[in-house]
Amino acid sequence: MGIAADLAAQPAAVESQYKPKVEFDGRTGFIDSDPHLAGESPAFDELLAKHGLAGQGVRLDPDRPVRISRWQNFAGEWLQADRFYVVAEQPGAVTAERLIAQIVDHPAAHRPAVGGGPAVFNFQASDLQIGKSDNDGTDGIINRYLGSLDRAVEKYRQLRRLNSVGPVHLMFPGDCVEGNQSQNGRNWWRTDLTLTDQIAVFEQLLYTTIEAFSDDTEQLLVDVVNGNHDEAQRFQTTRPGDGWATHAANSVSKGLTRNPAAFGHIEIRTPDPERGYMTVAAGDTVFTIAHGHQWRRGKAMDWWAAQAFHGQNPGAADILVHGHYHTWELETTDKRARIQSSTLDGGSNYYREMYGSEARRGALVYLTQAGDVSDLSLV
């Protein structure tokens, strides 16, 4: 065997490959580029993007120049690798370049992630005032309500296709019937149904609303509180929770217990008889549900703050739900939200004569998850 053959038979040394490194501890570090032909350095911004540092407040260290390493490969080409020394932006430093890079590199997202469990679908209907004769009377109230219910069911099915939706939450924040106690009973002659008929109609609306959702969810919560029109009487003060809306809800609850196979996943909740409001959970969000006659217009947040200050249960709520003022509103702070119902009645001729204003009518639907409100609309 000749010398050439002997040399060819010798084990060849394994050439170690150049491996670019990245080190950054949040304050200082370096980024190595991949090998490239000498004189063709990659752009620094490209390296930041490649290693996930774009928009993270990383810049070249002005006190340490780029280190360049060069070598020749077996093909005779001169290769080069660059080490860029980097530092974090100074605290509070803001540059347009960094912000623009952050915006450009932000990945597209279909929907922001929200912590907690699955979303809850909420249906909020207040101030039906069944029996009120103004304008189109109770016929108009029922037609409006059933139309809102149909649109709410369709909205629920749309949102369920797009989101992880769990329980359905039906809320009736008072003034469900016109009653005969408002204005010291002077409203009584402006009704087209007797009081017992008003209650019977509201009970049937509860059954119909429950049946509209019951087959499409594994948990259905129904919350009802009394409004000032629902009060049973005023000339002798009884309990704060003594009203026709909660009376109807409790009757429906007893009726559902007769068929637990079909309705065992449904829970109807009303306040303690000594309270006119209640604080309850639906999914991972806590609601305080009141009618709204407990405070003057524009003072809901003050009432809520006072309740929290004195250690009452609304202090635990993420959302305050109420009606009474006949126009829908959303008011938010960083951690709290107030959702005010619209009305479903035919309007007040007296109010229109005095002020000319009328309300946009309907029920509200929205999702809640971990205390956040989304997809709010009037239906």
Side-chain angles (χ1 to χ4, degrees):
M1 181 179 293
I3 295 176
D6 289 339
L7 291 174
Q10 296 294 319
V14 177
E15 184 178 1
S16 59
Q17 299 295 315
Y18 173 82
K19 296 180 179 179
K21 295 177 62 180
V22 177
E23 290 187 6
F24 182 65
D25 63 6
R27 296 188 301 113
T28 62
F30 61 83
I31 304 174
D32 290 341
S33 71
D34 291 323
H36 56 83
L37 293 176
E40 299 181 2
S41 298
F44 178 64
D45 289 345
E46 294 177 3
L47 287 176
L48 290 179
K50 176 181 178 181
H51 297 290
L53 294 174
Q56 302 301 310
V58 178
R59 63 188 178 97
L60 285 171
D61 188 339
D63 299 324
R64 303 185 69 181
V66 177
R67 191 190 75 182
I68 297 175
S69 300
R70 291 184 176 176
W71 67 94
Q72 193 173 24
N73 64 13
F74 290 110
E77 298 173 316
W78 281 96
L79 301 180
Q80 175 180 323
D82 311 298
R83 172 165 288 186
F84 296 87
Y85 292 95
V86 297
V87 294
E89 294 279 5
Q90 293 299 317
V94 177
T95 65
E97 290 80 5
R98 174 171 64 80
L99 296 174
I100 291 170
Q102 179 181 351
I103 295 168
V104 169
D105 295 329
H106 183 70
H110 295 293
R111 190 174 189 85
V114 179
V120 173
F121 177 84
N122 301 274
F123 172 82
Q124 179 177 330
S126 179
D127 296 88
L128 286 74
Q129 294 184 223
I130 294 166
K132 186 175 181 178
S133 63
D134 283 26
N135 302 310
D136 51 6
T138 303
D139 279 335
I141 294 170
I142 299 307
N143 288 333
R144 272 188 294 277
Y145 181 87
L146 294 176
S148 288
L149 177 60
D150 290 343
R151 290 185 288 273
V153 171
E154 179 58 29
K155 190 71 174 179
Y156 166 63
R157 291 170 179 168
Q158 291 174 0
L159 291 173
R160 197 177 56 182
R161 290 193 292 267
L162 299 173
N163 301 270
S164 174
V165 178
V168 171
H169 186 204
L170 310 179
M171 290 176 284
F172 297 86
D175 278 7
C176 301
V177 300
E178 178 67 5
N180 60 3
Q181 296 298 305
S182 180
Q183 304 152 45
N184 294 319
R186 290 193 297 271
N187 67 324
W188 182 236
W189 76 282
R190 296 287 295 175
T191 59
D192 55 18
L193 289 176
T194 67
L195 182 56
T196 53
D197 284 344
Q198 293 174 31
I199 298 164
V201 170
F202 180 57
E203 287 182 358
Q204 185 56 58
L205 279 185
L206 286 176
Y207 277 117
T208 297
T209 307
I210 289 167
E211 289 170 348
F213 291 100
S214 63
D215 290 341
D216 291 335
T217 182
E218 294 182 357
Q219 184 183 22
L220 181 59
L221 302 171
V222 185
D223 292 335
V224 182
V225 302
N226 295 307
N228 52 300
H229 279 270
D230 300 312
E231 290 178 73
Q233 64 178 28
R234 290 184 185 175
F235 73 94
Q236 285 183 329
T237 302
T238 59
R239 298 172 302 189
D242 191 16
W244 298 118
T246 55
H247 171 79
N250 291 331
S251 295
V252 170
S253 180
K254 293 174 184 176
L256 296 180
T257 62
R258 298 177 68 87
N259 189 354
F263 301 120
H265 62 303
I266 297 168
E267 181 181 2
I268 296 180
R269 304 182 292 193
T270 57
D272 183 283
E274 295 298 333
R275 285 188 186 270
Y277 64 86
M278 62 181 174
T279 299
V280 291
D284 54 12
T285 300
V286 179
F287 295 78
T288 288
I289 305 170
H291 178 57
H293 61 298
Q294 291 91 340
W295 55 83
R296 294 182 180 274
R297 183 183 288 273
K299 298 296 184 180
M301 289 303 211
D302 293 342
W303 177 87
W304 193 0
Q307 294 287 321
F309 178 81
H310 293 290
Q312 303 300 328
N313 60 41
D318 303 300
I319 300 172
L320 172 62
V321 165
H322 70 94
H324 190 57
Y325 294 101
H326 287 218
T327 57
W328 77 273
E329 292 180 355
L330 172 66
E331 182 179 7
T332 63
T333 67
D334 182 38
K335 301 296 183 183
R336 312 272 185 164
R338 178 183 66 87
I339 303 177
Q340 177 176 296
S341 294
S342 187
T343 183
L344 284 151
D345 72 2
S348 168
N349 293 340
Y350 166 80
Y351 192 86
R352 188 183 66 244
E353 289 289 319
M354 291 291 292
Y355 304 104
S357 176
E358 296 189 50
R360 180 170 292 182
R361 298 168 180 87
L364 294 173
V365 294
Y366 50 95
L367 297 181
T368 51
Q369 189 172 11
D372 290 333
V373 178
S374 64
D375 299 279
L376 174 66
S377 59
L378 184 74
V379 295

